[in-house]
Every structure is written in structure tokens, then in C-alpha cells.
Amino acid sequence: MTSTLSERISQSAFDGSRLRVVLLLDLYDGAQKQFLEAYEHLRNQVASVPGHISDQLCQSIENPSQWLITSEWESAPPFLAWVNSEEHVQTVQPLHGCVRDTRSLRFSVLRETGPTTEEAPGPAKGGLQSAPRLGDGVVRHALTFTVKPGSEEAVAKILADYDPPKARVDENTRLRRTSLFMHGNRVVRAVEVEGDLLAALRHVSRQPEVRAVEEAINPYLEQDRDLSDPDSARMFFTRAALPTVHHVAAGRHEPRDIERHALFYQAKEGCGMALARLLAGQDEDAADDPTSPIDSSTIFQRDDIVVRLLEVSGPIAEQPAQVLGVDGDRKAAVLGRLLDDSANAGMPMSEQEAARFLARSEMRLITDRRAAES
């Protein structure tokens, strides 16, 4: 039985549905007053953020050190723009001294019980997710950071030579695949996890071989960090997070026939989310096109950086426009207006121009490691 397009989209920030964000917190003993003061500041800041609807602060009736913050947003894009901003990083900094452990969860609203839209006061804000996404049991995430110009080859060697960490995290969680790419002095590390992403990231960070690599690249980083200082490490990885905003898989090709590639897109200031949305729409079209060489696409976006991770059948240079996500003059023109690339600003691309742009955009694969099947 052939799956529908909506069933093949396992993750998307672009379906227009309202978003519920859940933040679970475990406070240090005696930190409640400091926490409440920090929360009041956070609450006042987030109330003015476009797309924010409401939030609640809750305390456990069983364990007073356990707290819950929930917020509702008109859709995922305004929340992601806020949570990935430098303003948010600075706003939540006072919370870190109060919190022993934290966990953030994000959900599209699929169904709800309560007053109908007609009965509810005021205009409706955001819709409901139209249908549940089936998913494939895999959580996808990426990190990105830059290294000092001139250090690229030294960093590439360090990142290519380390021993992989143990794949099994616990009985429910397992590292599935890690792919490392570079584009100039920018590093992107994409991970796939079966189970709990947070548990997997913590597991990896404790592995001796990974810690050794992280320490080895420290002198080359453009953003200083001290991994022995929890606040310094937290700030670095918060800024390095490159969230997944869309994943679609066609599943037409055998795994042995496809290769992994990554493309880097630098958007104009303020255009990163619009660019990611455009590429997501193109990838949905490709998933429905039996002639497309793209077997799956994962789009990562933060601020004005967009990375597109592709599984492609055959050489990508044979169909550069399709691989780039600019199949058609209109889409090429829109892409040109969104890119921070004056050579193609607003102009349709010829096949030769698309090939040149593809060559500039393709990231260099440093390592691609799959866990052995257990």
C-alpha cells in the first residue's frame, strides 16, 4: 500500500498548527524565590513576542522541587525564531542557577476539548494539526559552529579520526547515525537517534572518546568555551543547536542505491525561516515525483542558516536544479530573493548556473557513521 504525502512527512514546523511547549524543571533546594523572580522577567519578555498566545507556571503537588512551564503559540515558526534568538539565550540565563535538570518538549495541537471556535471569544489563533504524523521512530537533530579560518584541515582530521561512542544508550534509546560536514569554516554535525534525544546527547557527551575530540578542537573554535564549566558548555551548545524544521521521505530507492549529501544555504537577514519553508515545499513536491532522485530530505534551520540533508539516488550533478530545490523558474527566482547571494538575486537559474550554485553549496562530508544493527 502506497503511503500518502502527509504520512511521509514525519516532522514539520510548517503545517500551520498551534504549538504547545512543555518545559519540565527540577529546582535546587532553596532556589524557589530566585526562580520565581527569573520567571517573572521571562514571562514579561515572552508576552510581547509575536505568535505567543499564553503560558502557565505549575508546581508539582507531590514534589515541590518539580515545576512545569507550558506555553502556547500560534504556530511553530514564531516559537522557533524566539527560542533560537540571542535575546532568548540571555533572557533564560538567570534560570540556570536555579535549575538542577530541565527538559523541553514541543507538540503540535491535534485535537482539543472545550468551547468551539464560534463560542470562543476573540479571533482564532492558529489551527489544529490535520492528521497525526506516522514518523519512523527516528529523532533528528544537528549542531553547528565555526572554527578559526585556516584551521579547517586540522579540525577535519580531528573530527574524522575519533573512535565512535557506544551506540546503545539504554534499553529504549540508541544512536543510529552521525554525519559530519564542513562548509568553509562551518561544521555541521547531524545525528539520528532512536528513542530519547536528550538521553542520547548526554550519553555521547560523557563518552571519553567524544570528550577527547571536543577538547582537541577547543583551540580552533571561534566561540570560546570551557567544557569543565557547566554554564559555558550549556551556552555553547545552546547557540550551536540547529533544529530540524522538516523531514520528508519518499522511500522509493533501496538503501544501497542512495548517498547522503548536505547543502548549505545562507539566507538574507531575517529570511531563514522563509527559505526553509520554500525548500520544504519543494521537497514535498519531490516526494510525490517518481522521477526525482531525492529519496529523503531533512531541513535544519536557525536564524539565517539553512542546511538541507539529502539522501539522493545517483550523482547529484546530473539534476542540479531538482537537488537544489529550485526546479522551475518561479522557485529559482524566489530562492534568489531569499539568499544572501548577490550573483543570483531574484534571477531564474539556468542549468549551468544551478550546477555552479550546487558546487558552492555542497558541504564536504567528513565522516558518516552508522551504528551496527543490534
Side-chain angles (χ1 to χ4, degrees), residues 54-66:
S54 65
D55 61 84
Q56 290 182 323
L57 174 65
C58 310
Q59 184 179 20
S60 170
I61 62 174
E62 298 169 334
N63 183 347
S65 70
Q66 292 180 346

Side-chain angles (χ1 to χ4, degrees), residues 109-373:
V109 180
L110 183 69
R111 301 285 187 271
E112 61 183 349
T113 302
T116 64
T117 302
E118 291 76 13
E119 295 170 341
K125 296 182 178 180
L128 300 180
Q129 182 181 322
S130 59
R133 288 185 278 270
L134 299 184
D136 55 5
V138 177
V139 183
R140 296 169 174 87
H141 186 65
L143 295 170
T144 186
F145 51 87
T146 55
V147 297
K148 296 171 183 176
S151 69
E152 293 88 350
E153 291 308 315
V155 171
K157 187 175 189 309
I158 293 169
L159 294 175
D161 288 348
Y162 74 97
D163 294 328
K166 295 180 177 64
R168 177 59 61 183
V169 177
D170 55 40
E171 61 180 8
N172 299 314
T173 301
R174 175 176 171 270
L175 292 171
R176 187 172 181 264
R177 190 171 183 177
T178 300
S179 303
L180 238 154
F181 296 88
M182 292 186 70
H183 187 268
N185 69 328
R186 178 167 295 279
V187 178
V188 171
R189 177 188 291 145
V191 298
E192 295 179 1
V193 173
E194 295 173 5
D196 187 331
L197 175 64
L198 184 58
L201 295 178
R202 287 175 173 170
H203 163 81
V204 169
S205 69
R206 292 193 294 263
Q207 301 305 302
E209 55 271 26
V210 173
R211 293 186 69 86
V213 168
E214 297 290 351
E215 292 291 350
I217 66 172
N218 263 352
Y220 303 111
L221 297 176
E222 286 198 312
Q223 179 188 340
D224 291 335
R225 68 178 182 185
D226 179 1
L227 294 178
S228 65
D229 177 357
D231 282 340
S232 175
R234 183 189 299 112
M235 292 295 282
F236 178 86
F237 288 111
T238 296
R239 291 189 172 103
L242 188 63
T244 308
V245 294
H246 196 268
H247 175 77
V248 60
R252 284 188 293 265
H253 304 97
E254 294 294 328
R256 64 176 180 272
D257 297 330
I258 58 180
E259 291 186 356
R260 173 162 285 193
H261 301 268
L263 303 180
F264 178 82
Y265 302 78
Q266 180 67 54
K268 290 178 181 175
E269 184 176 357
C271 294
M273 187 65 73
L275 176 56
R277 189 192 298 270
L278 173 72
L279 296 172
Q282 176 68 13
D283 288 335
E284 290 177 14
D285 291 343
D288 262 356
D289 179 0
T291 68
S292 173
I294 299 174
D295 198 75
S296 73
S297 163
T298 307
I299 298 174
F300 305 95
Q301 181 261 331
R302 182 190 182 101
D303 299 329
D304 300 321
I305 293 170
V306 180
V307 173
R308 195 155 149 261
L309 187 64
L310 301 175
E311 304 283 357
V312 181
S313 174
I316 63 172
E318 289 185 357
Q319 300 183 60
Q322 274 197 316
V323 172
L324 275 173
V326 292
D327 198 14
D329 287 350
R330 188 189 68 81
K331 289 178 180 175
V334 175
L335 178 68
R337 289 194 293 270
L338 295 174
L339 285 171
D340 186 16
D341 185 349
S342 58
N344 298 296
M347 298 297 293
M349 290 186 189
S350 68
E351 195 74 9
Q352 292 78 17
E353 290 167 332
R356 287 194 293 270
F357 182 71
L358 176 61
R360 295 200 306 273
S361 301
E362 186 173 9
M363 303 189 75
R364 171 187 173 191
L365 178 63
I366 304 301
T367 182
D368 183 25
R369 303 185 181 198
R370 303 172 188 251
E373 296 296 330

Side-chain angles (χ1 to χ4, degrees), residues 74 104 229 243:
E74 292 178 12
S104 179
D229 177 357

Side-chain angles (χ1 to χ4, degrees), residues 65-78:
S65 70
Q66 292 180 346
W67 294 69
L68 172 71
I69 300 175
T70 67
S71 62
E72 190 166 6
W73 297 75
E74 292 178 12
S75 62

